[in-house]
């Protein structure tokens, strides 16, 4: 693939948009790949499950768009962008994450992503988002656009406090879903992990935040507008 400068518009006759899919959950990658396989305008040319693998695959395949999970083993999606951009500035990144937290959205965009959509997006909308990012547009799930506008307009965006900063990215995801009223089985399904792993993360969150139960956790998250 010839190099595409970040501000170029993609030619109409360029063929399918080449995509690398980066997510640490194999089942999720399989589902997304199957969904995208139905679209003649998209061609998945590679996959990766962690930061180092993602950087290697992207540099090798030079896709037009990288579908990138924010929370990855080995440094996260932002680190992938930071390592790839100096070497392949024409590659565009579209974050696809379960997280809709302001700090994740803003941090990923500041790292260099062209858009951010959540995993509740439909297959057709995801295909459309990939095409728009390949064309140079910025794409966001509706409620996330405000975070970005506020951040880059100079208004105060939600910050990560010391307590929240003690939690791992996965613990934050579990925290938000618990606070939204999800049952353990629903969280396990949403995050592609076992119920036992969910229980382990909840115990760790309660311990780190010095909380006693789910009710206190929900109130804590609500007070910080994390829900």
């Amino acid at each position: 693939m010839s190099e595409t400068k970040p501000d170029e518009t993609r030619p109409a006759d360029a063929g399918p948009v080449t995509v690398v899919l980066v997510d640490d959950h194999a089942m999720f990658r399989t589902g997304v790949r199957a969904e995208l396989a139905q679209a003649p305008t998209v061609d998945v040319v590679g996959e990766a499950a962690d930061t180092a693998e993602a950087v290697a695959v992207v540099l090798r395949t030079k896709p037009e768009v990288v579908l990138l999970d924010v929370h990855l083993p080995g440094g996260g999606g932002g680190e992938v962008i930071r390592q790839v951009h100096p070497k392949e500035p024409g590659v565009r990144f579209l974050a696809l994450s379960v997280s809709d937290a302001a700090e994740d959205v803003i941090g990923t965009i500041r790292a260099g992503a062209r858009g951010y959509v959540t995993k509740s997006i439909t297959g057709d909308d995801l295909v459309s988002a990939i095409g728009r990012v390949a064309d140079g547009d910025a794409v966001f799930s509706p409620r996330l656009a405000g975070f970005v506008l506020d951040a880059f307009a100079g208004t105060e965006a939600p910050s990560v406090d010391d307590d929240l900063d003690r939690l791992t990215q996965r613990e934050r995801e579990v925290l938000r879903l618990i606070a939204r009223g999800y049952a353990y089985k629903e969280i396990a399904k949403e995050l592609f992990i076992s119920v036992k792993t969910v229980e382990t993360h909840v115990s760790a969150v309660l311990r780190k935040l010095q909380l006693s139960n789910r009710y206190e956790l929900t109130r804590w998250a609500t007070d910080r507008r994390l829900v």
Side-chain angles (χ1 to χ4, degrees), residues 49-52 68-83 169:
D50 59 38
T51 299
L68 183 67
D69 192 12
V70 174
H71 303 149
L72 291 171
E79 184 60 26
V80 175
I81 299 172
R82 284 186 284 271
Q83 291 190 37
Q169 295 287 5

Side-chain angles (χ1 to χ4, degrees), residues 8 21 35 43 67 102 119 136 158 183 201 207 209 215:
E8 284 183 348
L21 175 58
E35 194 75 37
D43 180 20
L67 271 182
K119 290 181 178 179
H201 285 315
R207 183 181 70 254
L209 299 181
Y215 171 76

Side-chain angles (χ1 to χ4, degrees), residues 24 69-73 76-77 97-99 104 169-170 173 176:
D24 60 333
D69 192 12
V70 174
H71 303 149
L72 291 171
S97 176
V98 70
S99 172
D104 288 335
Q169 295 287 5
R170 179 62 79 198
E173 292 174 346
R176 292 186 184 100

Side-chain angles (χ1 to χ4, degrees), residues 79-141:
E79 184 60 26
V80 175
I81 299 172
R82 284 186 284 271
Q83 291 190 37
V84 169
H85 258 174
K87 299 176 181 177
E88 292 293 337
V91 175
R92 290 166 173 146
F93 292 85
L94 173 60
L96 176 61
S97 176
V98 70
S99 172
D100 59 2
E103 66 267 21
D104 288 335
V105 178
I106 294 166
T108 303
I109 298 305
R110 281 179 171 157
R114 295 288 299 182
Y116 195 117
V117 295
T118 59
K119 290 181 178 179
S120 60
I121 192 172
T122 66
D124 288 344
D125 285 345
L126 181 58
V127 170
S128 175
I130 290 170
R132 289 173 59 194
V133 168
D135 285 339
D137 292 342
V139 180
F140 301 94
S141 293

Side-chain angles (χ1 to χ4, degrees), residues 150-173:
D150 287 346
F152 290 92
T155 58
E156 184 177 356
S159 60
V160 180
D161 61 27
D162 291 340
D163 288 332
L164 187 59
D165 206 29
R166 295 191 187 101
L167 306 182
T168 66
Q169 295 287 5
R170 179 62 79 198
E171 287 167 355
R172 294 184 195 184
E173 292 174 346

